[in-house]
Amino acid sequence: MNLRLTLRIQGGLLLFLAGMLLVPLPFSFWYRDGAWLWFVLSASLSAAIGLLLLRVFPTRAELTVREGFGVVTLAWVLFAAFGALPFLFTGTIASPIQAYFESMSGFTTTGSTVITDLNVVPESVLVWRSLTQWLGGMGIIVLSLAILPILGVGGMQLFEAEVPGPTTDRLRPRIQDTAKLLWGVYFLITAAEIAALMLGGVSFYEAVCHAFTTMATGGFSTRNGSIAELGGSYVHVVVTFFMFLAGVNFSLHFQALRGRVGGYFRSEEFRFYLVVLASSVLVVFLFNFRVYEDPLTNLRDSAFQVTSLMTTTGYGTADYELWPVLAQYILVGLMFVGGCAGSTGGGMKNVRVLLLVKHSFLQLSRLIHPRRVRLLKIDQKTVSDEVIQSILGFFALYIGIFVFASLGMAALGVDQVTAGASVIACLSNIGPGLGQVGPTDNFAHLPEAGHVLLSFCMLVGRLEVFTVLVLVFPSFWRK
Amino acid sequence: MNLRLTLRIQGGLLLFLAGMLLVPLPFSFWYRDGAWLWFVLSASLSAAIGLLLLRVFPTRAELTVREGFGVVTLAWVLFAAFGALPFLFTGTIASPIQAYFESMSGFTTTGSTVITDLNVVPESVLVWRSLTQWLGGMGIIVLSLAILPILGVGGMQLFEAEVPGPTTDRLRPRIQDTAKLLWGVYFLITAAEIAALMLGGVSFYEAVCHAFTTMATGGFSTRNGSIAELGGSYVHVVVTFFMFLAGVNFSLHFQALRGRVGGYFRSEEFRFYLVVLASSVLVVFLFNFRVYEDPLTNLRDSAFQVTSLMTTTGYGTADYELWPVLAQYILVGLMFVGGCAGSTGGGMKNVRVLLLVKHSFLQLSRLIHPRRVRLLKIDQKTVSDEVIQSILGFFALYIGIFVFASLGMAALGVDQVTAGASVIACLSNIGPGLGQVGPTDNFAHLPEAGHVLLSFCMLVGRLEVFTVLVLVFPSFWRK
């Protein structure tokens, strides 16, 4: 791997981050929260290191596939580090490890937090916190739709044929083209949500913060009580709708904005996502009749929580730990499924689960008709054996990481439910889990070794597992 | 499928079962427990239905692969039904559904029980209960080493080339040859355990019962306190050793008895089983220093419980719910892994887990070296793509059944931990789980719909998933 080139690119990215660190300034001035100097300091530090990297590594080589893994992983690791500075400098989070956890939770669009009281945090810091998720979401869309397919990772290599672009080994031109188009879509839907929320009486500042974290399926809020405190039923419905959109493949949104709305229903993954989501809402709603007196409130809260956890956003409007056990089990199951490939949602992705289901049935049918050749198809196209094997490898690794990280949390003395729930909440980039990290709790009370482990889980989950794990192979580093 | 032939074979099997139902008679006479008449009645009923089936379906067609699935599944369903009669007739279990659950738990070598007090149960009934497991174990050995490979199901098709025999579509001759050899081994090791237990002061009756349920990795005991009540450290060590043996592929034992002891260590699956077991014992032992004062007692109990749950036996000598959370997590993880292919142990089987691990690493290495061809091997032999795909399909189905059955238990109002734990305890044919079905509890208090669902899980898990699920396909039943 060309480490010099990798570091040079990080320099450029840090300059970009420095610019982003100045975005909260107007909010700081408006609310006079006194945090502006700390943002200027964070931006300066980020810019200084960025310039230093650009100067020390003046290489001009083209980026190849192998460097792609290093660039992507290192970008998230460094962004989380420099993005943690405002939390530390303003004293919002005292421990550097916890500040890193919060920042990683932002850039991976997870939404797990160590901040116990949001009311005492300066407004500009909360804007920054939401912005980290929005930027993470931007990164993920480009990553999953433009970079990972080229690296041969992620569910989207399935649709590779559909994405136009050069088939060369060089990454830059193709990524730039795709990025511009998709970011346009991302920006547009975010703006639409800001407008919709402000129509419901939400202030500009809070509408921006929540639109940022909805579209990223991140889930950071400006309120301790999350969306329940932000507004009434109108706001709940608006947020549910936009969470749903954020969990959909952004290239479908792109098509729809160009007039081809039928693309949604031609996508098998979208139909699967819709069916799983709708049937889960229905079952949870029916079982929640034991808990809710008013059916409409029940429907609103059931739809909100199911959408929030399936899209891996992690907002809350109700304490689902008080719901029937079945509803909780469904929510945990959905945490593993997550959003669609090419969305900002985490988890294993609908397309992978759909392919696993299809693969299983195909195996059964092969036993009955051993001589009949049947191929695994999606969207009427045959899925190659390599893709199936890669997806099955992903599935095994995902479960493996879940098991071993849960063992790690258990070794740190965390209780039964919390150990597994904290890991899946971070690995699938959701935010809240169950037990001691449930919807009414936070992650502050965990041991700091746990924060390190969970930060790693967020990173691995967000970057589709393979991207990070290849770096562990010694042979990856050889020329 | 030729249903007439399938039913005719069931007739023959029921005659065999009738004979087995007479085995507890001497114990009934010796202990004068008054149950002998009920065994005669059960045997007569079983024989009558068996003869009826043989008479009504005098077909003489050869058994083919497709009928194999039906014969195997129906055999377990019917054995569980007729095997439940003594529990019902003697009043040991009042509810027919619960009696069926107990009997299915026996023949699938699971070991989950609904009997709350074993002290009031007639000795002959306890012998029968243990015998159901021993017979189930016999069935499983032949199933996994002789029948399933031909049907193309189960981890053992990997080793198919090693098993000598005709490659014809006809099942009978091959199954009979393999069965005779393996049952000899099974019988021999069982006899050795009876002798070893009696040397430790255990009565003949209890030695027989426990040897039956050890070798079947079943776990039914004659004592409410399981092995903890049966004897001291000597007995614990003996049982641990034989549980370990029962979790090993019986064709390796067969080789060893013919003098080729090195076969054990030439088997990658055996080495994997040994490493997972030993390292789990070590970690549990280390973490249990918080619980145990005496290191030797700690080692004895840690080794016993780890071996008991990994081999899916389910005996208890300590309440592991009082152990550190990490130890409990390890035990739950081992419940999914289970024994080796070709053993009486349940779970997903070591060879499948080993192949999943290898497959995952191969996928990672393919990303680094996209042009290098590397094949998945086990025991120095290349594993075909079909086998890998079948194993990955198995993995997905196993997890899928676990999730949906857990949802089912949760829907019945069972608590969080118990819902999942009861399902994995039955699906992996272990016996006890965690929560309300932990090592000090039983399954009696669950709703009866839960007993039906869990009986189905035991059956599906025991028959390697595919064997039962193909029957659900309508096309399976067409000519």
Side-chain angles (χ1 to χ4, degrees):
Chain A
M1 202 183 83
N2 188 339
L3 196 63
R4 302 169 64 85
L5 177 62
T6 307
L7 288 171
R8 179 181 170 77
I9 294 173
Q10 302 302 325
L13 289 169
L14 284 182
L15 278 187
F16 168 75
L17 187 70
M20 290 298 116
L21 275 161
L22 301 177
V23 171
L25 285 185
F27 291 91
S28 182
F29 295 138
W30 179 266
Y31 286 101
R32 297 170 201 235
D33 62 11
W36 68 272
L37 200 62
W38 300 119
F39 281 101
V40 174
L41 182 63
S42 304
S44 312
L45 268 172
S46 184
I49 304 286
L51 286 171
L52 191 73
L53 286 173
L54 286 173
R55 194 170 183 88
V56 174
F57 304 111
T59 170
R60 285 230 153 266
E62 268 294 341
L63 190 64
T64 61
V65 166
R66 189 177 284 198
E67 277 94 40
F69 294 109
V71 167
V72 167
T73 305
L74 200 57
W76 254 269
V77 170
L78 285 182
F79 269 47
F82 286 90
L85 296 180
F87 300 130
L88 264 182
F89 290 164
T90 58
T92 305
I93 303 170
S95 145
I97 287 179
Q98 293 202 355
Y100 189 83
F101 174 91
E102 189 84 10
S103 179
M104 183 61 96
S105 172
F107 284 107
T108 56
T109 80
T110 305
S112 306
T113 185
V114 293
I115 301 176
T116 47
D117 184 6
L118 294 171
N119 293 328
V120 299
V121 179
E123 281 82 355
S124 57
V125 173
L126 291 181
V127 169
W128 172 244
R129 188 163 163 266
S130 296
L131 185 60
T132 58
Q133 297 204 320
W134 197 67
L135 294 173
M138 270 175 82
I140 281 310
I141 291 175
V142 174
L143 191 70
S144 58
L145 285 163
I147 305 180
L148 293 184
I150 305 176
L151 302 186
V153 173
M156 285 307 298
Q157 76 262 47
L158 283 169
F159 311 112
E160 193 171 3
E162 285 175 38
V163 185
T167 50
T168 158
D169 205 31
R170 296 186 198 154
L171 298 186
R172 272 258 294 287
R174 179 155 166 192
I175 293 170
Q176 284 173 346
D177 289 353
T178 318
K180 274 181 207 153
L181 295 174
L182 292 170
W183 285 345
V185 178
Y186 190 57
F187 203 88
L188 213 68
I189 307 183
T190 308
E193 189 183 350
I194 295 176
L197 286 175
M198 288 179 73
L199 275 177
V202 178
S203 72
F204 175 69
Y205 150 66
E206 290 197 296
V208 166
C209 284
H210 285 91
F212 278 178
T213 56
T214 310
M215 289 321 296
T217 68
F220 277 154
S221 176
T222 55
R223 307 283 188 127
N224 289 326
S226 191
I227 304 299
E229 255 181 61
L230 187 69
S233 289
Y234 169 81
V235 167
H236 291 215
V237 172
V238 165
V239 173
T240 306
F241 176 70
F242 282 95
M243 288 194 293
F244 172 76
L245 288 187
V248 174
N249 188 332
F250 272 77
S251 65
L252 294 179
H253 291 321
F254 176 69
Q255 282 180 31
L257 286 171
R258 297 184 69 176
R260 285 174 299 178
V261 182
Y264 288 120
F265 291 95
R266 272 193 297 277
S267 158
E268 265 192 81
E269 185 186 23
F270 179 81
R271 297 202 301 268
F272 182 76
Y273 169 67
L274 201 63
V275 167
V276 172
L277 190 66
S279 50
S280 301
V281 169
L282 182 69
V283 176
V284 170
F285 168 68
L286 291 175
F287 273 77
N288 268 347
F289 267 96
R290 297 183 204 159
V291 182
Y292 286 88
E293 288 198 1
D294 175 29
L296 277 178
T297 314
N298 175 0
L299 183 63
R300 186 195 72 186
D301 282 5
S302 299
F304 189 95
Q305 250 59 236
V306 168
T307 312
S308 172
L309 290 181
M310 182 169 179
T311 60
T312 75
T313 309
Y315 286 144
T317 58
D319 183 0
Y320 51 74
E321 292 198 279
L322 306 174
W323 288 3
V325 175
L326 177 81
Q328 296 183 40
Y329 258 80
I330 288 180
L331 293 177
V332 171
L334 294 177
M335 287 180 180
F336 282 88
V337 177
C340 298
S343 76
T344 58
M348 296 202 292
K349 310 287 179 301
N350 284 270
V351 68
R352 287 206 184 89
V353 177
L354 175 62
L355 279 173
L356 280 173
V357 172
K358 286 190 166 200
H359 176 80
S360 305
F361 278 95
L362 206 63
Q363 289 301 316
L364 279 170
S365 119
R366 272 182 191 154
L367 288 173
I368 302 171
H369 311 289
R371 284 173 198 92
R372 194 186 298 172
V373 178
R374 281 183 60 184
L375 297 167
L376 190 56
K377 292 191 175 188
I378 195 157
D379 292 348
Q380 271 101 52
K381 271 171 289 190
T382 303
V383 180
S384 77
D385 268 11
E386 285 77 50
V387 170
I388 302 170
Q389 302 235 345
S390 156
I391 285 173
L392 294 164
F394 176 91
F395 185 52
L397 283 174
Y398 206 84
I399 302 286
I401 292 168
F402 169 69
V403 169
F404 280 96
S406 300
L407 286 177
M409 291 304 292
L412 295 172
V414 171
D415 72 81
Q416 270 180 353
V417 173
T418 307
S422 63
V423 169
I424 191 61
C426 289
L427 183 62
S428 281
N429 304 119
I430 296 156
L434 293 167
Q436 302 282 312
V437 293
T440 58
D441 311 296
N442 61 65
F443 286 68
H445 58 84
L446 296 177
E448 293 215 325
H451 291 124
V452 175
L453 179 59
L454 293 176
S455 297
F456 179 74
C457 288
M458 293 190 227
L459 183 72
V460 171
R462 184 71 284 183
L463 303 184
E464 307 273 328
V465 181
F466 287 117
T467 320
V468 179
L469 293 190
V470 286
L471 302 181
V472 181
F473 276 63
S475 63
F476 179 81
W477 296 94
R478 279 184 227 122
K479 286 236 165 170
Chain B
M1 201 182 85
N2 188 338
L3 195 65
R4 302 170 64 86
L5 176 62
T6 307
L7 288 170
R8 181 182 167 79
I9 294 173
Q10 302 303 324
L13 288 169
L14 284 181
L15 278 186
F16 167 75
L17 186 70
M20 289 299 116
L21 275 160
L22 300 176
V23 171
L25 285 185
F27 291 93
S28 181
F29 296 137
W30 179 265
Y31 287 101
R32 297 171 203 236
D33 62 12
W36 68 272
L37 200 63
W38 300 120
F39 281 101
V40 173
L41 182 63
S42 304
S44 311
L45 267 172
S46 183
I49 304 286
L51 287 171
L52 192 73
L53 286 173
L54 287 173
R55 193 167 184 88
V56 173
F57 304 109
T59 169
R60 284 230 154 267
E62 267 295 342
L63 190 64
T64 60
V65 166
R66 188 177 284 199
E67 277 94 40
F69 294 108
V71 167
V72 167
T73 305
L74 199 57
W76 254 269
V77 170
L78 285 181
F79 268 47
F82 285 90
L85 296 179
F87 300 129
L88 263 183
F89 290 164
T90 59
T92 305
I93 303 171
S95 143
I97 287 179
Q98 293 203 354
Y100 189 83
F101 175 90
E102 188 84 10
S103 179
M104 183 60 96
S105 172
F107 285 107
T108 56
T109 81
T110 304
S112 306
T113 185
V114 294
I115 301 175
T116 46
D117 185 8
L118 294 170
N119 293 327
V120 299
V121 179
E123 281 82 355
S124 57
V125 173
L126 290 181
V127 170
W128 173 244
R129 188 164 162 265
S130 296
L131 185 60
T132 58
Q133 296 204 320
W134 196 69
L135 294 172
M138 272 175 81
I140 281 310
I141 291 173
V142 173
L143 191 70
S144 58
L145 286 163
I147 304 181
L148 292 185
I150 304 176
L151 302 188
V153 173
M156 285 307 297
Q157 74 263 45
L158 282 170
F159 311 113
E160 192 172 5
E162 285 176 37
V163 185
T167 49
T168 157
D169 204 31
R170 295 183 197 157
L171 298 187
R172 273 258 294 288
R174 178 154 165 193
I175 293 170
Q176 284 174 346
D177 289 353
T178 317
K180 274 181 206 154
L181 296 173
L182 292 171
W183 287 343
V185 177
Y186 189 58
F187 203 88
L188 214 68
I189 307 183
T190 308
E193 189 183 351
I194 295 176
L197 286 175
M198 289 179 73
L199 277 176
V202 179
S203 73
F204 175 69
Y205 149 66
E206 289 198 297
V208 167
C209 285
H210 285 92
F212 277 179
T213 56
T214 310
M215 290 320 298
T217 67
F220 278 154
S221 175
T222 55
R223 307 283 188 127
N224 289 327
S226 192
I227 304 299
E229 255 181 61
L230 187 69
S233 289
Y234 169 81
V235 168
H236 292 214
V237 172
V238 165
V239 173
T240 305
F241 176 71
F242 282 95
M243 286 194 294
F244 172 77
L245 288 186
V248 174
N249 188 333
F250 272 76
S251 66
L252 294 178
H253 291 320
F254 176 69
Q255 282 180 32
L257 285 171
R258 297 183 69 175
R260 285 175 297 179
V261 182
Y264 288 120
F265 291 94
R266 271 192 299 278
S267 158
E268 266 192 80
E269 184 185 23
F270 179 81
R271 296 202 301 268
F272 181 77
Y273 170 66
L274 202 62
V275 167
V276 172
L277 190 66
S279 50
S280 301
V281 169
L282 182 69
V283 175
V284 170
F285 168 68
L286 291 176
F287 272 77
N288 269 346
F289 267 95
R290 299 183 203 159
V291 182
Y292 285 88
E293 287 198 2
D294 175 29
L296 276 178
T297 314
N298 175 0
L299 184 63
R300 185 194 72 184
D301 282 5
S302 299
F304 189 96
Q305 250 60 234
V306 168
T307 312
S308 171
L309 290 182
M310 180 168 181
T311 61
T312 74
T313 309
Y315 286 144
T317 58
D319 183 359
Y320 51 75
E321 290 198 279
L322 305 175
W323 287 3
V325 176
L326 178 81
Q328 294 184 42
Y329 259 81
I330 289 179
L331 294 177
V332 171
L334 294 177
M335 287 179 179
F336 282 87
V337 178
C340 298
S343 78
T344 60
M348 296 202 293
K349 310 287 179 301
N350 284 270
V351 68
R352 288 206 183 89
V353 177
L354 175 61
L355 279 173
L356 280 174
V357 172
K358 287 190 166 199
H359 176 78
S360 305
F361 277 97
L362 207 63
Q363 289 301 317
L364 279 171
S365 117
R366 273 183 190 154
L367 287 173
I368 302 171
H369 310 289
R371 284 174 198 90
R372 194 185 299 171
V373 177
R374 281 184 59 182
L375 296 167
L376 190 57
K377 292 191 175 188
I378 196 157
D379 293 349
Q380 272 101 52
K381 269 170 291 191
T382 303
V383 180
S384 76
D385 267 10
E386 285 76 50
V387 170
I388 301 170
Q389 302 235 343
S390 156
I391 284 172
L392 293 165
F394 176 91
F395 184 52
L397 283 173
Y398 207 83
I399 302 287
I401 293 168
F402 169 68
V403 169
F404 279 96
S406 300
L407 286 178
M409 291 305 292
L412 295 171
V414 170
D415 72 81
Q416 269 180 356
V417 173
T418 308
S422 63
V423 169
I424 191 60
C426 289
L427 183 63
S428 281
N429 303 120
I430 296 156
L434 292 167
Q436 301 282 312
V437 293
T440 59
D441 312 295
N442 61 65
F443 285 67
H445 57 83
L446 295 177
E448 293 215 324
H451 291 122
V452 175
L453 179 59
L454 293 175
S455 297
F456 178 74
C457 288
M458 295 188 224
L459 183 72
V460 171
R462 183 71 284 184
L463 302 184
E464 307 271 329
V465 181
F466 287 118
T467 320
V468 179
L469 292 189
V470 286
L471 303 182
V472 180
F473 275 64
S475 64
F476 179 81
W477 297 93
R478 279 184 226 121
K479 286 242 163 168

